[in-house]
Structure formats: structure tokens, C-alpha cells
Amino acid sequence: FYALLCSVAADIISTVEFNSTGELLATGDKGGRVVVFQREQESKNQPHRRGEYNVYSTFQSHEPEFDYLKSLEIEEKINKIRWLPQQNAAYFLLSTNDKTVKLWKISERDKRPEGYNLKDEDGRIRDPTTITALRVPVLRPMDLMVEATPRRVFSNAHTYHINSISVNSDYETFMSTDDLRINLWNLEITNRSFNIVDIKPVNMEELTEVITAAEFHPHQCNTFVYSSSKGSIRLCDMRASALCDNHSKFFEEPEDPSNRSFFSEIISSISDVKFSHSGRYLMTRDYLTVKVWDLNMESKPLETYQVHDYLRSKLCSLYENDCIFDKFECVWNGSDSVIMTGSYNNFFRMFDRNTKRDVTLEASRENSKPRAILKPRKVCVGGKCRKDEISVDSLDFSKKILHTAWHPYENIIAVAATNNLYIFQDKVN
């Protein structure tokens, strides 16, 4: 891998997402901004530059708001971005903060109209009595301008914080998910949504779990999954009933009683769930592991990968500094053969499902000079460390990689390390 480094403002990146072709990459940050990067076109003079991403458009997606009924501030932080498949020359994406989902249109303009009859070139209105001849307006070339315009605002449907959005494969609907409810929206209709899951108990004292993530099946528009803070995943079929409170499949790994501890429930909470591109498998991320589930086998995961098992002995201090509540995401590569997820110390992990080999890589300014090859990192537990190893006691827990994305077809990955975006690409000879 070689690295491309770009610092995105002074704000912490809160989501990263490639579009369906991989030509565009969007990041959202805590300041409510969305930055879209576009991939360089290949030129004959510099064929090696193909793959570099440059800033294409930057816009303020969400502003801080205040809920006067509840006396609560609503952060502008972008929780998730999801691209819609491209239908014409413009691009569309959904972005959400805790309460409001917005549909944005990103379009290019390289021509401007000139020769109006009722106004001058500088925009001033002309006196109609002075107009003696009619002009035919013409389009003149101008410098390329990229405009981002909000097309729809989907609001006032969530009492709790939105943690995920997912676009359906019918490209007409999407869902937004908060701690206790999932709502289904039509992309054309902003003033109403349908509640398809509601796990809120009549008495809130009986609340035992919350929804942590949800996603539509990549091909079947009636199927979706949602994960919970208790480590379970529910597969629902919208054809069965309008309210999908009764799941059609339930995936959960029974806990080993010998491993039970005070932290068991916290670390079993699922922070991310993703369908494979094929739609056959599910991937879930909890605090210490990534699991791959076969949709046809509910009893136990097909594969379990230890992300940072060396942190088991550190759970007490991770609880005290609140790191144990960090929500790591996970992603598939384009062929579903490799999975990637983040860790601490700006480490991220890759697991090859075929060879069962795994690697730890680091995204940092010191180690990631442009076009430098990343060296695998190793963490040692106790005793003496080798020269190229890092001790578990010297890991920096303030540096964490929560958000990652993988190009849909190529070996290009985007990794958000606090306020830096790193783009790594397979080494091209």
C-alpha cells in the first residue's frame, strides 16, 4: 500500500463513504461539513497519478440547532453519509445528524447564460421602455463550478438520535434508525415516514436493549437487518407485516459462562452491521471482534476474527476513560474476500477470509509519507518486545480509527484518523 494524505479542516471526521463507482469519496465531520473528493482522471503524461483523490466540493450540510421543547442542543455532527446510485450527470447523497436527514444534489456548471432582454450583464434590471431590439440569450463557457444544493429535508420523525441510514435497492426508499425505532421514507416524500420497527417498551424502566445499526439487503428490497446493544442481529421481512417487530431470523452467539465478567454486556454490543456485496453474509463488529454470519445459519457465526484481543486485560482502564463505548465500523472489500476494521493507536486491521492471514497497519503522518509502503505493525503483550513491536502499555487510546471505507471494485481504502483522511492504494509497479 502507498499513502495519500490530506488533512480535512480542524474537525474530527465522523463518517467516510465511497459512491457506487468509487470515483467519489465523501467525508462528514463534527462541524457539520461534507467534503467530497474526486478521483483524478488518468493522463498519458502521468499514468501513476490515477487513483489520487482531490477535493471536488465542500459544503455545510447541517447547522447546530436547539430543541426548545426539550431544552436540548442538537449537534451539527454528520453521523452517516449514503450515496444514491447515479442516474444522470448529477450526484445525490443522503447525510444525517442526530435528528435530520438531508438529500443533497451535487452538480457541475461550466456554462452561463448571457444576453438577457430584461437585465444587463451585471444583473441590473433594464427599463422596458428603452428596449428597442430583442436578443437571443446564449450560453457561454465559464470556469467549472461545482454546486451542492439541498433537495429534500426529512425531519421531525425521531425522538432519539439517528445512528444509521440505509438506501434500499429499489432506490425509491431509505430507512433511518435511532436507538428504539426504524423509519421507512420515500425519497420523494418529506412530510411523512412509516415506522417499521419500534422496540420502545410501554414502561421505559423495562428497557433492556437499544438498536445500534441497521442496513437494507443489497438486492432484496423487502429485507433488512438491525443489530442491538445485547449483541444480537435480527433479520426482518417487510412482506410479512407492516410493523417488523417480529423478526424472521435471529442471530446471536451464546456467551461462554467461563468468560463472563462485569464488561461482558458492554463489549458484546454491536457497533456496526454490514451485508456482503453478494447478500449471502453478514458482518458484525463488537468491541473486540469481527464476526461473519451466514444468513442460512443462525446458531453461530461462520468466522470470528480477534481485532485486539490484547485489550482484554485493559478493559477496566478502558471503561474508566470511556473508550470501551467507542463504536468501530467494519467494511468488506469489493469481492467480499477481505474485511477491514479499525483499532487504537491509529492501527487498522485486515483479515483475509480465504488464507486466514491478517495484518495490522498504521495510519499516521510519521509512517505515511506519500507513496511510502506501509510496514505491518505488531503489538506485544508483557515481557520484552522486539525492536519492531509496540508494547500494549504504550498504545495511544486517543488515536483511534473508527471510520473506514473500501472502494467498491479496487484495492483503494479510505481511513479516517481523527481529523486526517488517509487514502491507501495497492502498490502499482
Side-chain angles (χ1 to χ4, degrees), residues 79-82 96-98 101 158 161-167 174-179 181-183 185 211-215 225-227 271-273:
N79 291 342
K80 282 283 185 290
I81 288 173
R82 289 289 178 264
T96 184
N97 67 347
D98 285 341
V101 184
H158 286 277
H161 290 174
I162 297 172
N163 56 44
S164 51
I165 49 177
S166 179
V167 180
F174 74 93
M175 65 181 173
S176 55
T177 308
D178 67 26
D179 295 342
R181 296 192 178 105
I182 300 175
N183 291 332
W185 301 83
I211 301 169
T212 54
E215 191 179 58
V225 290
Y226 69 92
S227 58
S271 54
D272 196 16
V273 59

mmCIF file of all heavy atoms in Angstrom, residues 79-82 96-98 101 158 161-167 174-179 181-183 185 211-215 225-227 271-273:
data_model
loop_
_atom_site.group_PDB
_atom_site.id
_atom_site.type_symbol
_atom_site.label_atom_id
_atom_site.label_comp_id
_atom_site.label_asym_id
_atom_site.label_seq_id
_atom_site.Cartn_x
_atom_site.Cartn_y
_atom_site.Cartn_z
ATOM 1 N N ASN A 79 -23.513 12.079 11.208
ATOM 2 C CA ASN A 79 -23.395 10.705 11.706
ATOM 3 C C ASN A 79 -23.158 9.698 10.584
ATOM 4 O O ASN A 79 -22.421 8.734 10.760
ATOM 5 C CB ASN A 79 -24.661 10.308 12.474
ATOM 6 C CG ASN A 79 -24.793 11.068 13.778
ATOM 7 O OD1 ASN A 79 -23.818 11.628 14.273
ATOM 8 N ND2 ASN A 79 -25.983 11.113 14.328
ATOM 9 N N LYS A 80 -23.811 9.898 9.442
ATOM 10 C CA LYS A 80 -23.676 8.956 8.329
ATOM 11 C C LYS A 80 -23.898 9.674 7.006
ATOM 12 O O LYS A 80 -24.665 10.637 6.923
ATOM 13 C CB LYS A 80 -24.712 7.821 8.440
ATOM 14 C CG LYS A 80 -24.376 6.730 9.465
ATOM 15 C CD LYS A 80 -23.321 5.786 8.942
ATOM 16 C CE LYS A 80 -23.053 4.633 9.884
ATOM 17 N NZ LYS A 80 -22.376 4.975 11.113
ATOM 18 N N ILE A 81 -23.215 9.160 5.963
ATOM 19 C CA ILE A 81 -23.456 9.606 4.585
ATOM 20 C C ILE A 81 -23.721 8.352 3.757
ATOM 21 O O ILE A 81 -23.030 7.343 3.913
ATOM 22 C CB ILE A 81 -22.224 10.353 4.016
ATOM 23 C CG1 ILE A 81 -22.075 11.726 4.677
ATOM 24 C CG2 ILE A 81 -22.344 10.514 2.498
ATOM 25 C CD1 ILE A 81 -20.793 12.444 4.305
ATOM 26 N N ARG A 82 -24.740 8.416 2.908
ATOM 27 C CA ARG A 82 -25.011 7.318 1.975
ATOM 28 C C ARG A 82 -25.257 7.908 0.585
ATOM 29 O O ARG A 82 -26.069 8.811 0.427
ATOM 30 C CB ARG A 82 -26.241 6.513 2.420
ATOM 31 C CG ARG A 82 -26.007 5.665 3.665
ATOM 32 C CD ARG A 82 -25.102 4.487 3.402
ATOM 33 N NE ARG A 82 -24.826 3.694 4.594
ATOM 34 C CZ ARG A 82 -23.750 3.826 5.360
ATOM 35 N NH1 ARG A 82 -22.844 4.758 5.051
ATOM 36 N NH2 ARG A 82 -23.556 3.062 6.413
ATOM 37 N N THR A 96 -26.898 12.713 7.472
ATOM 38 C CA THR A 96 -27.760 12.864 8.649
ATOM 39 C C THR A 96 -26.957 13.282 9.869
ATOM 40 O O THR A 96 -25.795 12.878 10.032
ATOM 41 C CB THR A 96 -28.527 11.552 8.951
ATOM 42 O OG1 THR A 96 -29.428 11.772 10.035
ATOM 43 C CG2 THR A 96 -27.588 10.416 9.328
ATOM 44 N N ASN A 97 -27.583 14.098 10.713
ATOM 45 C CA ASN A 97 -27.043 14.325 12.055
ATOM 46 C C ASN A 97 -27.944 13.538 13.017
ATOM 47 O O ASN A 97 -28.545 12.537 12.616
ATOM 48 C CB ASN A 97 -26.970 15.827 12.378
ATOM 49 C CG ASN A 97 -28.338 16.484 12.510
ATOM 50 O OD1 ASN A 97 -29.369 15.907 12.143
ATOM 51 N ND2 ASN A 97 -28.365 17.696 13.034
ATOM 52 N N ASP A 98 -28.058 13.954 14.268
ATOM 53 C CA ASP A 98 -28.843 13.169 15.227
ATOM 54 C C ASP A 98 -30.336 13.166 14.924
ATOM 55 O O ASP A 98 -31.047 12.261 15.352
ATOM 56 C CB ASP A 98 -28.637 13.726 16.652
ATOM 57 C CG ASP A 98 -27.274 13.350 17.209
ATOM 58 O OD1 ASP A 98 -26.664 12.404 16.680
ATOM 59 O OD2 ASP A 98 -26.815 14.002 18.171
ATOM 60 N N VAL A 101 -32.345 14.100 8.334
ATOM 61 C CA VAL A 101 -31.683 13.553 7.146
ATOM 62 C C VAL A 101 -31.896 14.541 5.999
ATOM 63 O O VAL A 101 -32.996 15.071 5.829
ATOM 64 C CB VAL A 101 -32.261 12.178 6.767
ATOM 65 C CG1 VAL A 101 -31.498 11.577 5.584
ATOM 66 C CG2 VAL A 101 -32.231 11.226 7.957
ATOM 67 N N HIS A 158 -37.808 11.527 14.520
ATOM 68 C CA HIS A 158 -37.040 10.744 15.506
ATOM 69 C C HIS A 158 -37.002 11.448 16.851
ATOM 70 O O HIS A 158 -36.620 12.609 16.949
ATOM 71 C CB HIS A 158 -35.606 10.516 15.004
ATOM 72 C CG HIS A 158 -35.525 9.507 13.904
ATOM 73 N ND1 HIS A 158 -35.493 8.150 14.127
ATOM 74 C CD2 HIS A 158 -35.490 9.653 12.556
ATOM 75 C CE1 HIS A 158 -35.427 7.519 12.970
ATOM 76 N NE2 HIS A 158 -35.434 8.407 11.995
ATOM 77 N N HIS A 161 -31.591 9.690 18.965
ATOM 78 C CA HIS A 161 -30.553 10.042 17.998
ATOM 79 C C HIS A 161 -30.458 9.034 16.859
ATOM 80 O O HIS A 161 -30.402 7.828 17.082
ATOM 81 C CB HIS A 161 -29.200 10.131 18.712
ATOM 82 C CG HIS A 161 -29.109 11.306 19.632
ATOM 83 N ND1 HIS A 161 -28.041 11.518 20.464
ATOM 84 C CD2 HIS A 161 -29.977 12.328 19.857
ATOM 85 C CE1 HIS A 161 -28.246 12.631 21.167
ATOM 86 N NE2 HIS A 161 -29.409 13.132 20.813
ATOM 87 N N ILE A 162 -30.397 9.559 15.624
ATOM 88 C CA ILE A 162 -30.250 8.700 14.443
ATOM 89 C C ILE A 162 -28.817 8.141 14.424
ATOM 90 O O ILE A 162 -27.853 8.891 14.490
ATOM 91 C CB ILE A 162 -30.510 9.499 13.149
ATOM 92 C CG1 ILE A 162 -31.949 10.020 13.121
ATOM 93 C CG2 ILE A 162 -30.234 8.634 11.911
ATOM 94 C CD1 ILE A 162 -32.253 10.983 11.968
ATOM 95 N N ASN A 163 -28.698 6.811 14.341
ATOM 96 C CA ASN A 163 -27.348 6.211 14.298
ATOM 97 C C ASN A 163 -27.009 5.654 12.923
ATOM 98 O O ASN A 163 -25.839 5.416 12.626
ATOM 99 C CB ASN A 163 -27.188 5.134 15.384
ATOM 100 C CG ASN A 163 -28.251 4.055 15.295
ATOM 101 O OD1 ASN A 163 -28.571 3.563 14.216
ATOM 102 N ND2 ASN A 163 -28.813 3.676 16.439
ATOM 103 N N SER A 164 -28.022 5.418 12.067
ATOM 104 C CA SER A 164 -27.686 4.922 10.730
ATOM 105 C C SER A 164 -28.803 5.213 9.732
ATOM 106 O O SER A 164 -29.964 5.352 10.110
ATOM 107 C CB SER A 164 -27.375 3.413 10.751
ATOM 108 O OG SER A 164 -28.385 2.691 11.384
ATOM 109 N N ILE A 165 -28.395 5.326 8.467
ATOM 110 C CA ILE A 165 -29.339 5.423 7.357
ATOM 111 C C ILE A 165 -28.910 4.412 6.313
ATOM 112 O O ILE A 165 -27.737 4.066 6.227
ATOM 113 C CB ILE A 165 -29.395 6.857 6.743
ATOM 114 C CG1 ILE A 165 -27.988 7.397 6.461
ATOM 115 C CG2 ILE A 165 -30.207 7.803 7.585
ATOM 116 C CD1 ILE A 165 -27.964 8.758 5.794
ATOM 117 N N SER A 166 -29.876 3.917 5.526
ATOM 118 C CA SER A 166 -29.547 2.917 4.516
ATOM 119 C C SER A 166 -30.499 3.089 3.337
ATOM 120 O O SER A 166 -31.716 3.180 3.522
ATOM 121 C CB SER A 166 -29.672 1.511 5.104
ATOM 122 O OG SER A 166 -29.385 0.529 4.134
ATOM 123 N N VAL A 167 -29.926 3.139 2.126
ATOM 124 C CA VAL A 167 -30.739 3.293 0.918
ATOM 125 C C VAL A 167 -31.137 1.909 0.423
ATOM 126 O O VAL A 167 -30.312 0.996 0.348
ATOM 127 C CB VAL A 167 -29.951 4.040 -0.185
ATOM 128 C CG1 VAL A 167 -30.815 4.203 -1.440
ATOM 129 C CG2 VAL A 167 -29.502 5.407 0.316
ATOM 130 N N PHE A 174 -35.618 4.736 1.696
ATOM 131 C CA PHE A 174 -34.473 4.551 2.577
ATOM 132 C C PHE A 174 -34.989 4.477 4.005
ATOM 133 O O PHE A 174 -36.143 4.836 4.281
ATOM 134 C CB PHE A 174 -33.450 5.689 2.407
ATOM 135 C CG PHE A 174 -33.857 7.013 3.011
ATOM 136 C CD1 PHE A 174 -33.493 7.360 4.310
ATOM 137 C CD2 PHE A 174 -34.615 7.922 2.278
ATOM 138 C CE1 PHE A 174 -33.870 8.581 4.862
ATOM 139 C CE2 PHE A 174 -34.985 9.143 2.817
ATOM 140 C CZ PHE A 174 -34.614 9.473 4.115
ATOM 141 N N MET A 175 -34.145 3.974 4.910
ATOM 142 C CA MET A 175 -34.570 3.945 6.307
ATOM 143 C C MET A 175 -33.603 4.726 7.178
ATOM 144 O O MET A 175 -32.413 4.844 6.877
ATOM 145 C CB MET A 175 -34.739 2.517 6.816
ATOM 146 C CG MET A 175 -33.497 1.682 6.872
ATOM 147 S SD MET A 175 -33.910 0.030 7.481
ATOM 148 C CE MET A 175 -32.367 -0.806 7.260
ATOM 149 N N SER A 176 -34.161 5.279 8.232
ATOM 150 C CA SER A 176 -33.344 5.969 9.240
ATOM 151 C C SER A 176 -33.619 5.297 10.571
ATOM 152 O O SER A 176 -34.763 4.958 10.887
ATOM 153 C CB SER A 176 -33.691 7.459 9.288
ATOM 154 O OG SER A 176 -35.078 7.647 9.507
ATOM 155 N N THR A 177 -32.556 5.101 11.342
ATOM 156 C CA THR A 177 -32.638 4.292 12.557
ATOM 157 C C THR A 177 -32.166 5.082 13.761
ATOM 158 O O THR A 177 -31.100 5.708 13.708
ATOM 159 C CB THR A 177 -31.737 3.042 12.406
ATOM 160 O OG1 THR A 177 -32.075 2.380 11.195
ATOM 161 C CG2 THR A 177 -31.884 2.100 13.578
ATOM 162 N N ASP A 178 -32.950 5.053 14.846
ATOM 163 C CA ASP A 178 -32.450 5.613 16.103
ATOM 164 C C ASP A 178 -32.387 4.504 17.154
ATOM 165 O O ASP A 178 -32.509 3.326 16.823
ATOM 166 C CB ASP A 178 -33.287 6.834 16.546
ATOM 167 C CG ASP A 178 -34.719 6.472 16.947
ATOM 168 O OD1 ASP A 178 -34.963 5.324 17.366
ATOM 169 O OD2 ASP A 178 -35.601 7.358 16.851
ATOM 170 N N ASP A 179 -32.200 4.864 18.408
ATOM 171 C CA ASP A 179 -31.998 3.863 19.458
ATOM 172 C C ASP A 179 -33.161 2.884 19.602
ATOM 173 O O ASP A 179 -32.961 1.731 19.981
ATOM 174 C CB ASP A 179 -31.765 4.555 20.806
ATOM 175 C CG ASP A 179 -30.470 5.349 20.801
ATOM 176 O OD1 ASP A 179 -29.633 5.084 19.927
ATOM 177 O OD2 ASP A 179 -30.311 6.252 21.643
ATOM 178 N N ARG A 181 -36.260 3.048 17.313
ATOM 179 C CA ARG A 181 -37.189 2.923 16.185
ATOM 180 C C ARG A 181 -36.465 2.971 14.841
ATOM 181 O O ARG A 181 -35.420 3.595 14.719
ATOM 182 C CB ARG A 181 -38.227 4.047 16.216
ATOM 183 C CG ARG A 181 -39.142 3.997 17.434
ATOM 184 C CD ARG A 181 -40.312 4.940 17.270
ATOM 185 N NE ARG A 181 -41.212 4.854 18.405
ATOM 186 C CZ ARG A 181 -41.296 5.776 19.370
ATOM 187 N NH1 ARG A 181 -40.511 6.841 19.331
ATOM 188 N NH2 ARG A 181 -42.158 5.638 20.363
ATOM 189 N N ILE A 182 -37.084 2.329 13.849
ATOM 190 C CA ILE A 182 -36.612 2.424 12.463
ATOM 191 C C ILE A 182 -37.760 2.973 11.618
ATOM 192 O O ILE A 182 -38.885 2.459 11.683
ATOM 193 C CB ILE A 182 -36.161 1.048 11.911
ATOM 194 C CG1 ILE A 182 -35.015 0.483 12.766
ATOM 195 C CG2 ILE A 182 -35.710 1.170 10.464
ATOM 196 C CD1 ILE A 182 -34.569 -0.918 12.376
ATOM 197 N N ASN A 183 -37.480 4.017 10.846
ATOM 198 C CA ASN A 183 -38.486 4.630 9.982
ATOM 199 C C ASN A 183 -38.143 4.410 8.521
ATOM 200 O O ASN A 183 -36.975 4.476 8.128
ATOM 201 C CB ASN A 183 -38.584 6.139 10.241
ATOM 202 C CG ASN A 183 -39.171 6.441 11.614
ATOM 203 O OD1 ASN A 183 -39.943 5.654 12.148
ATOM 204 N ND2 ASN A 183 -38.806 7.572 12.180
ATOM 205 N N TRP A 185 -38.727 5.785 4.682
ATOM 206 C CA TRP A 185 -39.085 7.015 3.950
ATOM 207 C C TRP A 185 -39.130 6.741 2.460
ATOM 208 O O TRP A 185 -38.366 5.910 1.955
ATOM 209 C CB TRP A 185 -38.028 8.107 4.160
ATOM 210 C CG TRP A 185 -37.768 8.548 5.558
ATOM 211 C CD1 TRP A 185 -36.952 7.944 6.481
ATOM 212 C CD2 TRP A 185 -38.281 9.726 6.202
ATOM 213 N NE1 TRP A 185 -36.939 8.664 7.647
ATOM 214 C CE2 TRP A 185 -37.741 9.766 7.510
ATOM 215 C CE3 TRP A 185 -39.142 10.750 5.786
ATOM 216 C CZ2 TRP A 185 -38.025 10.789 8.404
ATOM 217 C CZ3 TRP A 185 -39.437 11.769 6.675
ATOM 218 C CH2 TRP A 185 -38.886 11.781 7.973
ATOM 219 N N ILE A 211 -31.277 -0.271 19.645
ATOM 220 C CA ILE A 211 -30.821 -0.576 18.284
ATOM 221 C C ILE A 211 -29.523 0.205 18.043
ATOM 222 O O ILE A 211 -29.438 1.388 18.345
ATOM 223 C CB ILE A 211 -31.893 -0.165 17.255
ATOM 224 C CG1 ILE A 211 -33.206 -0.907 17.513
ATOM 225 C CG2 ILE A 211 -31.404 -0.435 15.835
ATOM 226 C CD1 ILE A 211 -34.389 -0.378 16.722
ATOM 227 N N THR A 212 -28.523 -0.467 17.493
ATOM 228 C CA THR A 212 -27.229 0.201 17.293
ATOM 229 C C THR A 212 -26.923 0.488 15.814
ATOM 230 O O THR A 212 -26.171 1.407 15.507
ATOM 231 C CB THR A 212 -26.090 -0.651 17.874
ATOM 232 O OG1 THR A 212 -26.167 -1.972 17.313
ATOM 233 C CG2 THR A 212 -26.200 -0.754 19.395
ATOM 234 N N ALA A 213 -27.489 -0.313 14.889
ATOM 235 C CA ALA A 213 -27.228 -0.106 13.450
ATOM 236 C C ALA A 213 -28.272 -0.889 12.664
ATOM 237 O O ALA A 213 -28.859 -1.851 13.175
ATOM 238 C CB ALA A 213 -25.828 -0.569 13.068
ATOM 239 N N ALA A 214 -28.500 -0.468 11.410
ATOM 240 C CA ALA A 214 -29.444 -1.188 10.551
ATOM 241 C C ALA A 214 -29.025 -1.009 9.096
ATOM 242 O O ALA A 214 -28.448 0.018 8.732
ATOM 243 C CB ALA A 214 -30.866 -0.673 10.751
ATOM 244 N N GLU A 215 -29.315 -2.018 8.278
ATOM 245 C CA GLU A 215 -28.962 -1.928 6.859
ATOM 246 C C GLU A 215 -29.895 -2.773 6.008
ATOM 247 O O GLU A 215 -30.311 -3.856 6.417
ATOM 248 C CB GLU A 215 -27.510 -2.391 6.618
ATOM 249 C CG GLU A 215 -27.031 -2.057 5.212
ATOM 250 C CD GLU A 215 -25.595 -2.467 4.947
ATOM 251 O OE1 GLU A 215 -25.263 -3.658 5.078
ATOM 252 O OE2 GLU A 215 -24.795 -1.597 4.579
ATOM 253 N N VAL A 225 -31.663 -5.803 8.133
ATOM 254 C CA VAL A 225 -31.229 -6.301 9.441
ATOM 255 C C VAL A 225 -31.008 -5.134 10.388
ATOM 256 O O VAL A 225 -30.721 -4.017 9.953
ATOM 257 C CB VAL A 225 -29.909 -7.113 9.386
ATOM 258 C CG1 VAL A 225 -30.080 -8.423 8.702
ATOM 259 C CG2 VAL A 225 -28.785 -6.303 8.787
ATOM 260 N N TYR A 226 -31.157 -5.390 11.668
ATOM 261 C CA TYR A 226 -30.714 -4.405 12.659
ATOM 262 C C TYR A 226 -30.041 -5.120 13.815
ATOM 263 O O TYR A 226 -30.373 -6.264 14.140
ATOM 264 C CB TYR A 226 -31.856 -3.491 13.111
ATOM 265 C CG TYR A 226 -32.957 -4.122 13.936
ATOM 266 C CD1 TYR A 226 -32.903 -4.142 15.334
ATOM 267 C CD2 TYR A 226 -34.089 -4.669 13.319
ATOM 268 C CE1 TYR A 226 -33.924 -4.681 16.083
ATOM 269 C CE2 TYR A 226 -35.119 -5.204 14.065
ATOM 270 C CZ TYR A 226 -35.033 -5.215 15.447
ATOM 271 O OH TYR A 226 -36.047 -5.751 16.199
ATOM 272 N N SER A 227 -29.054 -4.447 14.393
ATOM 273 C CA SER A 227 -28.272 -5.035 15.483
ATOM 274 C C SER A 227 -28.615 -4.334 16.795
ATOM 275 O O SER A 227 -29.154 -3.222 16.791
ATOM 276 C CB SER A 227 -26.779 -4.892 15.195
ATOM 277 O OG SER A 227 -26.457 -3.519 15.024
ATOM 278 N N SER A 271 -21.504 -2.590 17.162
ATOM 279 C CA SER A 271 -21.397 -1.183 16.754
ATOM 280 C C SER A 271 -21.645 -0.987 15.260
ATOM 281 O O SER A 271 -21.925 0.116 14.822
ATOM 282 C CB SER A 271 -20.022 -0.624 17.123
ATOM 283 O OG SER A 271 -18.991 -1.430 16.585
ATOM 284 N N ASP A 272 -21.552 -2.077 14.464
ATOM 285 C CA ASP A 272 -21.772 -1.935 13.028
ATOM 286 C C ASP A 272 -22.221 -3.272 12.458
ATOM 287 O O ASP A 272 -21.778 -4.334 12.907
ATOM 288 C CB ASP A 272 -20.473 -1.480 12.338
ATOM 289 C CG ASP A 272 -20.718 -0.944 10.923
ATOM 290 O OD1 ASP A 272 -21.881 -0.644 10.601
ATOM 291 O OD2 ASP A 272 -19.746 -0.814 10.155
ATOM 292 N N VAL A 273 -23.103 -3.217 11.471
ATOM 293 C CA VAL A 273 -23.537 -4.425 10.760
ATOM 294 C C VAL A 273 -23.540 -4.112 9.269
ATOM 295 O O VAL A 273 -23.980 -3.052 8.850
ATOM 296 C CB VAL A 273 -24.921 -4.921 11.259
ATOM 297 C CG1 VAL A 273 -25.997 -3.864 11.067
ATOM 298 C CG2 VAL A 273 -25.333 -6.212 10.563
#
